[in-house]
Amino acid sequence: MKRVLAVVGAGALALGLSMSSSEAAPAASTPTVGSSPIKVTKSTTGSYIVVMKADPLVKSVGVAELHSSAARSRKAAMRAAHAKVLTSAGIASSRKVQDYTNALNGFAVRTDLRGAERLARTAGVAAVLPDELRHPAAADTTAPTSSSGGAVDRNGLNSFLGLTAKGQAYAQGITGRGVLVGVIDTGIWPESPSLAANPKLPPAPTFDTSERSACDFGNTAWNPNDKPFTCNNKLVGAREFLDTYKANTGLEPYEFDSARDDDGHGTHTATTAAGNADVKASVFGVSKGVISGIAPDAQVIAYKALGEAGGYTSDLAGAIDQAVADGVDVINYSIGGGAATVTADTIAFLFAADAGVFTAVAAGNDGPGAATIGGPADVPWVTSVGATTYPTLYRGVVRLGNGVLVTGASITPGLKRSPIVNGAAAGSELCLPGALDPAKVRGRIVLCGRGQNGRVDKSFAVQQAGGVGMVLYNQTDVDNLFSDNFFVPTVMIDKTPSKSILTYLRTTKRPVASIENRGVTRAFYPTPTVALFSSRGENPTAGDIVKPDISAPGVQILAGNTPDPVPGTQPSGQLFQAIAGTSMASPVVAGTLALLKQAHPTWSAAEAKSAIMTTAYQKVRDNDRKTQAGPFAMGAGLAMLGKPSAKGSAFQPGLVYDAGFDDYLGFLCAEGPEVFVDPAATCAALAEEGIPTTAADLNLASIGIESVPGSATVTRTVTSVASTRVTYRPSVSAPAGYTVQVKPATLTLAPGQSATFTVTVVNRGSAPVGTWRFGALTWAGGGYSARSPIAVKASAIKAPAEVSGSGVSGSVAVPVEFGIGGRYEAKAYGLVPQTTTPGTISQDPDQTFTPGESGPGVSAVPFSLKGVAHARWALRLDGDDDLDLYLLDSRGSVVASSTNGGTDEQIDLASPADGTYTLVVHGWAVAKPNTPYDLASWIVPATTGGTLSVTANGSGTVAPRDQRQVGLGWKGLESGGSYLGVLDHTIGGVSVASTLVTVTG
């Protein structure tokens, strides 16, 4: 289904996103610096990623030719072009820290904002992105347990996922053999038993080592514990990508300057996804049974791109770029940060998907609040994964001196009867570092509450104060129980069980307790449930895209570890750990994708994601352990592959929703148009080819509509991967308050055939405005069943946020669609002319604005606002000077700001509260003292009768789904003037939306 356009030539799209794979090689001429519309966002890290207009190698020569002589020649030309861009911008070549050529064409450079802006004005440059810090999406994970060939699955994960029994994947030889899994993370502990050489596996592939080692261990000059290691046919490679990290942050002596893991996170994720089968695991000398990776016969290559303080997107993009060149089939990326559609790693993953690489990304650990999905999990071309529990519980018991037993989670050793004390009575209820009184803690078990510092940090604080054990309790009964490698024997319990311990402590003169490790058992509360920490939708960057895509077990996952961790982070000497996070759930799905890759090597990344989504397990509870989880918590459901021979399994989904490179470009027209050099021309060309340019119409296996004013229609296309001709019929579970219509009523498809259908969602009038409601669409037939979640949100009205016009007199039509009924009235406020306030500004010495500060780098302008519909301030200044705007309220608090690169700043404030405001012009980078500026402002009063008036369809009774064109007219403006007005939309006397009106006279 992949479509390749030849409508727009090379360089038509920014970030190297070309709709043609036949682009010419980069020009050899020296780039020149000139004017450019490219905006640069300030980097807080001191480095930037420069992305060229020319395509990366995966588009220009194709993934199959990445190691050809033509590719080598083109790579040399690309790097020469990078060097010339630096020269033209006046930046030393020594400031460059990374080159990208495979999945991204560009480079990373350490420079200041002025240097970045010069780079942005250099010919051949498409964008300059700020380098960002990302972090592991948890320092916790647990690993799967099972193996090919009928291995014992004592710990339950692989059997729970339906992989180990007769007729299931392993018994059918689907074990990941022949698949290469790339893990971008904190590195790898190569001596892990889960990564030992395996005579059943094929030989290790040969990798390019012309620029960096493909098996990077043994830097004993930096850290004597970094023993040499020769990669094998299981761990086939390990590369370090810490170029920017070492330049900007620097490694500590106790870290490893190689691919060796000093955190444990990377080893855990790698062995969860693809650790060997039948590995005997033990923690603190206690056997934990036999474990296995999800794809036990897949080969692994590790990319260390995270240091102790996190990882730079420039390094992470370098790892993605290299992974594509190394030929990985699947990438696990248990890493996250702020959600943003256009970043170095999101764009690199877009090209990786186009190269056929399946990618699993952790959704984030900021739940259970809404809209907490992190980046790059928010973009649609990766598979984002939320975390759930599964039936296994690593059980620990606290036996109180009065005989009461309190059960929780523990993987640490037991502890004989010892005195027990409440942390609150020993100086710190939360067991904060340095706050516990050693005189009250020494030799005792300490009861500690969750909060402020990390779980393992609390155990370290207990140990440092002389404590011998810990009972750690949650602050609620809907959180999860964790089984970290604590520094002292520990049992973790819920809030309610902690009350019996507190009662015992209050009523007993010399309280004592012991800790018992009860091994592996089934969880004592309903499971699977979505983990409390798992990030939830809606998607913060693209509300029409339902996220997460899928969920998987991510609590108490037993897998590999580093025995030589950073001091103070966990006890040393342990090769295994049972930890938690979406970091742990993501490699479960990465391993799942590896199994699908073996079974269906020609499937696209989108088809594989569709298969696990449409066949997902639905009986998942939310973190309250009672209610059914919705798609913003569990995605399409829990990833469970099913039997390879069974219709309706992920191996045989019947139908798939595919999407290719150009489809994602259409999505970027709606959600990331800044990536295009000429958005209007590019998106028009896409639309002409029939490619949707709205996010809601992106061909995903989920249906999301973030604004349903009365009704909304989306389009999807399915492709048959069934072996015979099948007729499918839809069944709908409509979201509460809506009806859902699917056309056509049947789809009859031969193998490989595609068909398009529409889904129309109609608000019956009872769906509350601004509230998400959920449902599902299932296509069934011939023994197949493909389910898609539906998420929709009602809106009172659909109206454009801003319209514009020109002329001293004129008119414009504003399209409006209604989601609720009642008496509608459109009110026109303004137009008001621009007011110009001149001023001068100098350089702020520390470049940091602090409310209340004064000096030559700060210029404050007061504004008194009363009865205002809308206020706008704008400041634009040519040249390299960079001024920022901050708006303070009467208390001196910042209520809005604009801090773009260069001086192209604007602040808008809708319906501001009455009061005195201060607009501050800040001199972030000013070349000359007392540089003049002109601050533009428009203060639109909430009163009618100005030069803007409603001329048509401005009042009357409306019903849901009504549409009308509201006419606006103006007259009496001055030629060349800049004016602002507001069209206020009210229903039943209540303002439900407003449309800004800008007019140039």
Side-chain angles (χ1 to χ4, degrees):
M1 286 188 63
K2 182 175 177 295
R3 294 166 288 190
V4 178
L5 295 183
V7 177
V8 181
L13 311 178
L15 302 185
L17 305 184
S18 167
M19 292 190 296
S20 170
S21 59
S22 58
E23 183 197 356
S29 59
T30 302
T32 58
V33 177
S35 61
S36 171
I38 297 172
K39 295 182 180 180
V40 180
T41 301
K42 295 174 191 174
S43 171
T44 60
T45 62
S47 48
Y48 293 83
I49 298 102
V50 177
V51 186
M52 306 292 287
K53 292 179 181 177
D55 279 339
L57 292 174
V58 292
K59 291 298 288 183
S60 60
V61 302
V63 66
E65 300 297 321
L66 285 181
H67 302 288
S68 65
S69 59
R72 288 193 294 272
S73 175
R74 180 170 173 79
K75 178 181 289 191
M78 294 164 74
R79 292 189 169 183
H82 301 169
K84 290 176 180 177
V85 166
L86 281 170
T87 299
S88 298
I91 298 173
S93 60
S94 61
R95 306 294 291 176
K96 183 176 67 172
V97 288
Q98 292 269 13
D99 268 303
Y100 316 115
T101 57
N102 302 301
L104 200 63
N105 178 11
F107 57 93
V109 59
R110 301 177 71 219
T111 187
D112 58 15
L113 179 63
R114 290 184 177 180
E117 289 171 337
R118 292 197 302 274
L119 289 165
R121 295 194 298 271
T122 304
V125 172
V128 179
L129 305 175
D131 205 353
E132 303 171 34
L133 266 176
R134 295 203 187 277
H135 300 274
D140 310 315
T141 294
T142 16
T145 52
S146 179
S147 78
S148 57
V152 177
D153 182 27
R154 296 179 189 170
N155 293 330
L157 177 57
N158 300 52
S159 59
F160 170 69
L161 294 174
L163 300 173
T164 62
K166 182 178 180 180
Q168 293 179 341
Y170 299 161
Q172 298 301 309
I174 300 176
T175 58
R177 182 179 174 84
V179 178
L180 180 58
V181 176
V183 180
I184 301 174
D185 215 296
T186 63
I188 198 85
W189 190 262
E191 295 86 1
S192 169
S194 295
L195 299 169
N198 188 337
K200 297 188 301 180
L201 302 185
T206 300
F207 299 111
D208 179 14
T209 58
S210 60
E211 296 178 14
R212 65 180 76 219
S213 172
C215 189
D216 191 1
F217 302 105
N219 187 354
T220 55
W222 179 266
N223 186 329
N225 294 330
D226 191 2
K227 295 185 298 182
F229 182 87
T230 301
C231 293
N232 53 46
N233 70 339
K234 179 62 178 182
L235 179 62
V236 298
R239 300 184 187 267
E240 184 195 63
F241 277 86
L242 292 175
D243 304 50
T244 305
Y245 186 91
K246 288 190 283 188
N248 285 4
T249 301
L251 292 172
E252 298 291 344
Y254 47 74
E255 294 184 80
F256 294 114
D257 188 5
S258 72
R260 187 173 289 275
D261 186 9
D262 46 43
D263 180 277
H265 191 272
T267 304
H268 192 279
T269 56
T271 54
T272 297
N276 280 325
D278 301 325
V279 173
K280 295 180 179 179
S282 65
V283 183
F284 297 112
V286 179
S287 174
K288 299 300 175 185
V290 176
I291 65 170
S292 161
I294 298 297
D297 289 340
Q299 293 172 307
V300 175
I301 181 169
Y303 302 87
K304 181 177 179 178
L306 296 174
E308 185 184 5
Y312 291 85
T313 49
S314 57
D315 287 336
L316 294 162
I320 300 166
D321 190 69
Q322 184 64 58
V324 171
D326 288 339
V328 301
D329 298 297
V330 178
I331 291 175
N332 184 71
Y333 199 76
S334 291
I335 299 167
T341 302
V342 180
T343 62
D345 50 356
T346 62
I347 299 304
F349 277 134
L350 173 57
F351 282 104
D354 190 52
V357 179
F358 302 173
T359 299
V361 176
N365 300 310
D366 294 320
T372 50
I373 298 292
D378 57 317
V379 296
W381 45 84
V382 304
T383 301
S384 58
V385 188
T388 72
T389 63
Y390 72 111
T392 291
L393 170 70
Y394 292 98
R395 187 175 176 222
V397 171
V398 181
R399 183 184 294 272
L400 301 177
N402 61 2
V404 172
L405 302 181
V406 180
T407 299
S410 177
I411 204 166
T412 58
L415 180 68
K416 64 182 181 180
R417 176 176 284 203
S418 304
I420 182 171
V421 63
N422 187 355
S428 177
E429 178 184 358
L430 303 181
C431 297
L432 301 178
L436 292 170
D437 183 353
K440 297 178 179 179
V441 169
R442 190 175 294 112
R444 290 173 169 80
I445 299 169
V446 184
L447 178 67
C448 302
R450 289 282 302 280
Q452 293 192 39
N453 59 332
R455 300 183 301 270
V456 178
D457 292 340
K458 294 177 188 294
S459 71
F460 189 60
V462 169
Q463 184 190 66
Q464 292 298 100
V468 296
M470 180 175 72
V471 179
L472 180 61
Y473 63 88
N474 281 322
Q475 301 294 350
T476 72
D477 286 334
V478 294
D479 204 339
N480 300 103
L481 299 180
F482 300 91
S483 52
D484 306 276
N485 285 4
F486 292 102
F487 281 92
V488 294
T490 297
V491 176
M492 186 168 181
I493 61 177
D494 275 332
K495 176 68 173 179
T496 296
S498 72
K499 295 177 182 178
S500 61
I501 300 178
L502 288 168
T503 299
Y504 172 65
L505 292 175
R506 285 195 306 268
T507 58
T508 306
K509 188 174 182 179
R510 293 184 177 86
V512 295
S514 61
I515 291 176
E516 301 173 8
N517 189 307
R518 294 290 183 90
V520 184
T521 185
R522 290 185 65 84
F524 52 78
Y525 54 80
T527 190
T529 64
V530 177
L532 180 77
F533 58 75
S534 188
S535 289
R536 266 63 166 187
E538 62 184 283
N539 190 342
T541 55
D544 292 316
I545 306 300
V546 179
K547 289 285 182 172
D549 296 303
I550 199 75
S551 56
V555 178
Q556 296 190 28
I557 305 298
L558 180 65
N561 190 21
T562 173
D564 194 0
V566 169
T569 59
Q570 60 168 304
S572 61
Q574 304 306 313
L575 285 169
F576 298 93
Q577 57 182 333
I579 55 177
T582 57
S583 276
M584 288 59 258
S586 180
V588 172
V589 171
T592 297
L593 291 171
L595 299 179
L596 280 181
K597 188 74 173 183
Q598 179 190 355
H600 297 285
T602 63
W603 274 7
S604 70
E607 288 175 310
K609 179 167 81 167
S610 171
I612 62 172
M613 288 177 66
T614 59
T615 60
Y617 178 74
Q618 296 301 307
K619 294 181 180 180
V620 180
R621 305 182 193 215
D622 216 328
N623 61 273
D624 64 2
R625 307 173 189 172
K626 297 177 182 178
T627 59
Q628 170 67 37
F632 285 174
M634 69 171 185
L638 189 71
M640 299 184 76
L641 289 178
K643 294 183 178 180
S645 60
K647 292 181 178 180
S649 70
F651 294 107
Q652 294 197 50
L655 298 173
V656 292
Y657 296 78
D658 197 10
F661 187 80
D662 299 329
D663 300 294
Y664 295 129
L665 296 189
F667 161 82
L668 289 171
C669 285
E671 303 297 340
E674 65 270 23
V675 305
F676 302 113
V677 172
D678 188 344
T682 298
C683 297
L686 288 164
E688 187 177 342
E689 289 295 313
I691 295 174
T693 55
T694 61
D697 282 325
L698 180 61
N699 202 45
L700 300 178
S702 55
I703 296 169
I705 312 174
E706 68 172 332
S707 178
V708 181
S711 66
T713 299
V714 298
T715 302
R716 292 291 187 271
T717 299
V718 288
T719 300
S720 173
V721 291
S723 58
T724 61
R725 187 178 183 86
V726 177
T727 296
Y728 297 90
R729 291 177 173 81
S731 63
V732 174
S733 174
Y738 296 86
T739 59
V740 177
Q741 303 166 352
V742 181
K743 294 182 179 180
T746 62
L747 298 175
T748 300
L749 300 175
Q753 188 177 2
S754 300
T756 297
F757 63 91
T758 62
V759 179
T760 299
V761 179
V762 180
N763 186 345
R764 299 201 308 261
S766 59
V769 170
T771 299
W772 286 94
R773 291 286 177 86
F774 307 107
L777 163 65
T778 302
W779 287 98
Y784 301 100
S785 180
R787 181 185 185 275
S788 294
I790 297 174
V792 295
K793 183 169 65 174
S795 56
I797 193 171
K798 181 180 181 182
E802 188 167 330
V803 296
S804 61
S806 61
V808 296
S809 62
S811 63
V812 67
V814 181
V816 179
E817 183 177 358
F818 299 96
I820 60 176
R823 178 72 183 179
Y824 171 70
E825 185 175 3
K827 300 177 181 179
Y829 305 141
L831 299 162
V832 299
Q834 172 184 321
T835 297
T836 301
T837 305
T840 61
I841 194 76
S842 300
Q843 175 67 42
D844 182 353
D846 66 3
Q847 292 190 304
T848 301
F849 172 71
T850 303
E853 75 171 284
S854 59
V858 174
S859 179
V861 183
F863 288 86
S864 180
L865 306 183
K866 184 176 181 180
V868 172
H870 194 93
R872 170 177 286 180
W873 295 268
L875 183 60
R876 292 173 176 83
L877 200 65
D878 293 333
D880 291 337
D881 291 321
D882 188 351
L883 310 184
D884 295 330
L885 296 181
Y886 294 89
L887 184 66
L888 281 61
D889 63 16
S890 59
R891 297 172 298 176
S893 300
V894 175
V895 294
S897 64
S898 178
T899 59
N900 295 324
T903 304
D904 187 7
E905 314 298 343
Q906 181 171 300
I907 289 177
D908 281 279
L909 202 60
S911 302
D914 292 350
T916 300
Y917 294 79
T918 303
L919 195 287
V920 175
V921 180
H922 177 241
W924 195 85
V926 184
K928 297 179 180 180
N930 299 316
T931 294
Y933 67 82
D934 288 324
L935 174 67
S937 61
W938 298 261
I939 310 299
V940 183
T943 55
T944 58
T947 54
L948 183 68
S949 60
V950 177
T951 60
N953 300 320
S955 62
T957 301
V958 296
R961 299 185 294 281
D962 281 357
Q963 298 180 15
R964 61 174 60 190
Q965 297 281 332
V966 177
L968 288 177
W970 61 89
K971 59 184 178 180
L973 306 186
E974 292 185 7
S975 179
S978 176
Y979 294 82
L980 182 69
V982 175
L983 177 63
D984 185 41
H985 306 276
T986 67
I987 300 178
V990 177
S991 178
V992 293
S994 62
T995 299
L996 294 179
V997 183
T998 58
V999 178
T1000 302

